[in-house]
Amino acid sequence: MEENKYTFENPEFKNTYRHTTSHILAQAVKRLYPEVKLAIGPAIENGFYYDFDAPFAITPEILEKIEAEMRKICKEKLKLERFELPRAEAIQFMEEKEEPFKVELIQDLPEDAHISFYKQGEFTDLCAGPHLDSTGRVKGNAIKLTACNAAYWRGDSKRETLQRIYGVAFPKKDELDAYLKAVSYTHLTL
């Protein structure tokens, strides 16, 4: 099993890889569109997503710009650094960044929770982790943003409607190409 530790055959590595890619997505969005507010961005079975509150519709053209910025971030090989803050400082930190969804998440954590963040370059996000040690571990040419759909904050139709960007990421470009070909073929044969 040791030889497969850093491959997608290891579910823990696959999840960590995709979760790190969701943070790269959020960093790319904030670089290009600083006014966008962050919600959540987990790894999922077939990739990852991140929810955003944007004052504009995220179009296919915008997704292309974001994807290009993600590739730049991967090439920058930014170190991911974990740190913790006490509850009051964590809330103040996210309030200063004008991230209301993150403030709400922190406020909902238990009083004794360890509130952790991950920093990569100029970007910091509230997150329990784990993550890869560098954005350079993610292969920029093996990332594809696949869709943008509406999503309710915390799954509640009475709350804000956010925009959810979905993506896939693989350790090698040929794996991405094979996945995209299979998905395309599947959609054509339905």
Side-chain angles (χ1 to χ4, degrees):
M1 180 64 183
E2 185 63 33
E3 70 274 1
N4 294 330
K5 184 176 180 182
Y6 298 108
T7 71
F8 271 25
E9 292 172 23
N10 175 351
E12 188 177 327
F13 175 77
K14 184 192 305 188
N15 190 58
T16 301
Y17 190 96
R18 288 176 169 167
H19 193 143
T20 301
T21 309
S22 77
H23 277 237
I24 294 169
L25 166 58
Q27 182 176 15
V29 168
K30 290 297 281 188
R31 277 187 180 179
L32 296 169
Y33 309 101
E35 70 277 18
V36 171
K37 304 301 178 200
L38 303 172
I40 59 167
I44 55 176
E45 184 179 344
N46 292 319
F48 61 92
Y49 72 79
Y50 211 108
D51 290 345
F52 300 97
D53 187 9
F56 53 85
I58 298 174
T59 63
E61 294 77 23
I62 289 174
L63 287 179
E64 286 178 23
K65 289 179 188 173
I66 295 168
E67 201 175 287
E69 191 65 31
M70 290 175 72
R71 285 192 282 279
K72 289 180 192 173
I73 292 167
C74 292
K75 285 181 183 172
E76 290 172 21
K77 299 180 180 177
L78 302 171
K79 183 178 177 185
L80 277 90
E81 302 172 273
R82 183 182 188 277
F83 66 93
E84 292 184 4
L85 290 175
R87 179 184 208 80
E89 286 180 44
I91 290 170
Q92 181 180 354
F93 183 64
M94 283 292 126
E95 284 176 342
E96 288 170 0
K97 289 188 170 293
E98 298 180 13
E99 295 292 355
F101 300 103
K102 300 295 183 177
V103 170
E104 182 179 326
L105 290 171
I106 294 167
Q107 289 170 335
D108 288 351
L109 290 172
E111 288 294 326
D112 61 348
H114 293 276
I115 302 170
S116 61
F117 297 84
Y118 280 83
K119 181 181 186 318
Q120 59 199 55
E122 80 289 351
F123 178 75
T124 303
D125 202 356
L126 171 71
C127 189
H131 287 282
L132 302 178
D133 63 345
S134 166
T135 62
R137 301 270 185 211
V138 175
K139 301 303 175 218
N141 68 349
I143 295 170
K144 181 69 181 161
L145 298 181
T146 57
C148 184
N149 300 330
Y152 295 119
W153 172 234
R154 300 187 124 177
D156 184 346
S157 63
K158 295 180 179 76
R159 300 291 309 267
E160 297 87 343
T161 301
L162 307 174
Q163 296 181 73
R164 177 172 292 173
I165 298 176
Y166 287 95
V168 292
F170 294 88
K172 298 178 182 166
K173 186 178 185 322
D174 61 340
E175 293 175 57
L176 171 66
D177 292 343
Y179 171 83
L180 294 174
K181 185 176 179 184
V183 169
S184 176
Y185 179 75
T186 302
H187 288 306
L188 291 174
T189 58
L190 291 181

